[in-house]
Amino acid sequence: MQARELRVPDAFEFTPRTFPDTRGVFVSPFQGEAFTKAVGHPFTVAQTNHSRSRKGSVRGLHFADVPPGQAKYVYCPQGALLDFVVDIRVGSPTFGAWDVVRLDPVDFRAVYVPEGVGHGFVALEEDTVISYLCSTGYNPSAERGINPLDPTLALPWAPELEPLMSDKDVAAPSLAEAEAAGLLPRYSDCVAWYEKQRAR
C-alpha cells in the first residue's frame, strides 16, 4: 500500500494494491501496518459508517470538537466521489488550505482525515457509497459544520453538478463566522492529541 501526505498536514491518501481476476477483484482498503507507518500511531475503530448518495449530493464540511474529535478513514466501494479535507485548525501554518482526492472502486484510494480537520465530499454518480472507519462514536453535542459553499474556501464541488445539500449544511456558518464564534479546533490542541496517540 502506498501512502501520501496531503496538502493539509496530518491528512493522508492511501492507495492499496488490487487483485483482479476472472471472478472480480480483491482489495484491502485499510491496512493497519501501513497506516501506522505513515501516520505514526494505530487507528482505533470505534464505529463504522456507511452512506449512499444521489449524484450531486454534497455532505460536509463536518468536524468534531477536539479533544477527542473524530478521525475518519474513508473509501468508496461503489460509484465515485470527490473527497475534500480542509485545514480549519486555528493557528495551523496551513489554516484554510485544502486538498481533494477522487475516490472510486477502480483504484480504491482511501483518505485519512485526522481530528480537527474539516471533511466533506460530493457524489459524482448515482448511488455512490462511502464507507467510514471512525475513531470515536457519534456525539451530536460535539458535531460541528462549515458551509461547504463558503466562497472564501472556493472548493470545486464538481461545478457541472447542481449541489444537493441538507438544511443543516446550508445553514452552517462560513469559516470566518465559525472562527469568530470560537467553534473551530485549535491547532495546538490537535497536535497535542496526535502526540498523545503516538505515545501510547
Side-chain angles (χ1 to χ4, degrees):
M1 175 175 276
Q2 297 178 337
R4 177 178 70 91
E5 191 167 22
L6 300 178
R7 283 187 62 216
V8 176
D10 308 303
F12 287 82
E13 171 197 273
F14 290 89
T15 305
R17 290 182 62 193
T18 58
F19 299 91
D21 62 21
T22 55
R23 300 165 297 172
V25 65
F26 177 86
V27 63
S28 295
F30 175 78
Q31 298 172 31
E33 184 176 350
F35 178 91
T36 301
K37 182 178 179 181
V39 179
H41 62 78
F43 188 89
T44 300
V45 179
Q47 179 174 308
T48 62
N49 295 338
H50 169 107
S51 73
R52 184 173 68 241
S53 298
R54 294 172 54 194
K55 184 177 181 179
S57 295
V58 172
R59 298 182 188 261
L61 295 164
H62 300 150
F63 63 99
D65 293 339
V66 179
Q70 186 185 65
K72 301 171 183 175
Y73 188 96
V74 301
Y75 66 96
C76 175
Q78 178 178 301
L81 60 92
L82 295 179
D83 198 76
F84 289 84
V85 293
V86 182
D87 195 344
I88 59 171
R89 301 167 294 186
V90 176
S92 169
T94 55
F95 180 76
W98 56 269
D99 208 342
V100 59
V101 178
R102 179 187 169 96
L103 303 183
D104 58 40
V106 177
D107 297 311
F108 281 96
R109 290 187 182 93
V111 170
Y112 171 64
V113 186
E115 296 89 346
V117 169
H119 176 252
F121 70 89
V122 58
L124 302 178
E125 299 179 5
E126 292 292 345
D127 295 323
T128 288
V129 172
I130 186 169
S131 291
Y132 299 73
L133 307 180
C134 301
S135 64
T136 58
Y138 177 61
N139 178 5
S141 65
E143 285 288 308
R144 309 289 178 208
I146 294 167
N147 191 304
L149 303 184
D150 180 352
T152 60
L153 290 173
L155 301 176
W157 297 101
E160 72 280 7
L161 300 177
E162 183 68 27
L164 303 173
M165 296 168 54
S166 70
D167 292 341
K168 182 178 179 181
D169 288 343
V170 169
S174 69
L175 182 65
E177 290 168 340
E179 182 179 9
L183 299 176
L184 300 181
R186 294 186 300 178
Y187 182 64
S188 58
D189 291 339
C190 293
V191 169
W193 185 253
Y194 308 154
E195 290 303 321
K196 183 178 180 181
Q197 294 179 87
R198 293 185 181 109
R200 288 179 179 172

